[in-house]
Amino acid sequence: MWHLERVWEERNQAAVLLVSGSIIVMIAVADWWTMPYVSLGFLYLFPIMLGAGFLPRWLVALLGAGCAVLSEVFSSLDRSTVRLAFETLALSGCGLFVGELVRNRRLTLDAQERLKEEQERLKILVETSPAAIVTIDERGFIELANHAAAELMAPREGKLVGSPIAAFLPDLHHALRWEEAPQFRATMQCRGHRGSGEPFTADVWFSTYKYGPNPKLAAIIADVTEETGAANSHAFHAEHQERPLLSDREMNVLRLLVQGFANKEIATHMEVSESTVKNTLQQLFAKANVRTRAQLVRVALEQYRDLL
């Protein structure tokens, strides 16, 4: 499919300006030839719009005024200053309007190209780093992850990209939800979970940033677990055996909570009222013996991962 904006690509500048000037000359000759019968001055609009994508604003306005003078000179009507002024305004205004559209389009394309280059550089940096690095989009899903991160978090399907970070590091997901806050850098130590459900302690260095209009987060993760794998496995199985039974509604609320949804979003997904969601969360807090949402998410990933 042919795109009109390609006419104003930089490589076409000389050809487009030459064609635009030639059309103006041809219209002037034709207008002079047909002067007793019909006025062709309105046709100057097309070469002006064609050249406006490359000419500076002052030159577009000057070209519009010049074409308006030619139209008035070769008109069969009596000379009129008012008509000349309106013709100048119409021709120059249309040219300036098209020029602004072309400039804005170029700026948009340049910005998109820069974003693609930045994304490629970030992807190369992530994939070649020996440290575990992930980037997270505004919804809390992993966008980029290198081999070290996959080895650290060991996802069940063998693929981290596209998985919610809350399934592995819930505290990191909650850091991303501060989208109203300014961009910041921070470090923290939190508890994480591998794809198998095995817990580990992680030191996380992360920073938020903007990619276009969307907030994102990049993090470097290190496993600093001091306990042996056998002790962790024993504690994990013991917690599974002692977990309280949950109703279907409680399990559904817990599942959506782990994915990072707010109360209103959970209510919409479950087609219940927000107060029902709040009551269910209070029941979950009591059963899990916790006080905060982050603590509840941690308990959910430790004790109910197989059901989630």
Side-chain angles (χ1 to χ4, degrees):
M1 183 178 179
W2 187 72
H3 296 281
L4 181 62
E5 64 267 19
R6 291 181 180 175
V7 172
W8 289 286
E9 292 180 353
E10 293 294 339
R11 57 189 175 89
N12 297 330
Q13 179 173 352
V16 169
L17 292 178
L18 180 61
V19 170
S20 178
S22 301
I23 294 175
I24 289 175
V25 172
M26 288 189 292
I27 293 173
V29 172
D31 203 16
W32 169 75
W33 184 264
T34 61
M35 183 171 58
Y37 310 105
V38 64
S39 176
L40 302 178
F42 68 93
L43 294 177
Y44 289 115
L45 181 64
F46 299 102
I48 290 174
M49 290 192 299
L50 194 60
F54 301 105
L55 299 174
R57 295 179 181 89
W58 67 268
L59 193 53
V60 173
L62 185 61
L63 182 61
C67 289
V69 170
L70 289 175
S71 176
E72 185 66 20
V73 168
F74 298 131
S75 174
S76 58
L77 302 174
D78 295 335
R79 302 291 182 265
S80 171
T81 305
V82 175
R83 185 171 62 247
L84 176 63
F86 276 105
E87 287 178 344
T88 301
L89 183 62
L91 295 175
S92 300
C94 289
L96 291 171
F97 176 72
V98 172
E100 291 304 314
L101 289 179
V102 173
R103 289 184 186 90
N104 288 339
R105 177 62 176 168
R106 285 177 186 156
L107 290 174
T108 301
L109 293 176
D110 290 344
Q112 291 175 350
E113 190 64 29
R114 286 196 297 271
L115 286 176
K116 287 180 181 178
E117 292 176 358
E118 290 173 3
Q119 188 176 30
E120 286 300 319
R121 288 196 294 267
L122 182 60
K123 185 176 181 180
I124 292 172
L125 174 64
V126 169
E127 290 177 349
T128 57
S129 174
I133 299 177
V134 296
T135 64
I136 305 166
D137 65 18
E138 67 276 9
R139 299 175 299 125
F141 286 83
I142 299 173
E143 264 190 338
L144 295 175
N146 60 2
H147 182 67
E151 285 187 341
L152 173 63
M153 290 182 271
R156 288 184 178 180
E157 304 297 328
K159 184 179 179 182
L160 274 178
V161 176
S163 302
I165 190 62
F168 306 98
L169 293 163
D171 290 341
L172 195 56
H173 174 83
H174 291 300
L176 180 68
R177 291 188 68 86
W178 303 337
E179 60 266 12
E180 299 299 329
Q183 300 178 34
F184 64 95
R185 298 181 180 90
T187 62
M188 67 177 177
Q189 186 174 96
C190 61
R191 196 168 188 181
H193 299 84
R194 308 187 202 280
S196 63
E198 178 187 355
F200 66 94
T201 303
D203 275 347
V204 183
W205 297 264
F206 66 94
S207 64
T208 61
Y209 64 99
K210 288 279 188 178
Y211 185 77
N214 300 319
K216 295 182 184 293
L217 184 147
I220 301 175
I221 307 163
D223 185 358
V224 293
T225 307
E226 296 179 356
E227 294 80 12
T228 63
N232 286 338
S233 177
H234 176 75
F236 171 71
H237 290 297
E239 288 170 348
H240 267 264
Q241 293 173 357
E242 299 171 1
R243 66 185 182 188
L245 294 177
L246 301 181
S247 66
D248 290 341
R249 174 174 289 176
E250 290 171 338
M251 183 56 65
N252 288 334
V253 170
L254 194 61
R255 184 177 293 112
L256 294 172
L257 179 67
V258 168
Q259 294 179 26
F261 290 105
N263 290 355
K264 188 175 181 179
E265 296 170 322
I266 295 174
T268 301
H269 276 274
M270 295 182 59
E271 298 181 350
V272 297
S273 65
E274 191 171 350
S275 60
T276 300
V277 173
K278 291 180 180 178
N279 292 335
T280 305
L281 283 173
Q282 291 301 321
Q283 296 169 9
L284 288 169
F285 287 154
K287 287 186 176 182
N289 194 25
V290 297
R291 294 183 179 181
T292 67
R293 296 169 73 94
Q295 291 172 342
L296 182 58
V297 169
R298 185 176 301 145
V299 170
L301 293 172
E302 290 174 352
Q303 300 185 19
Y304 298 95
R305 178 177 286 268
D306 56 324
L307 299 179
L308 296 174

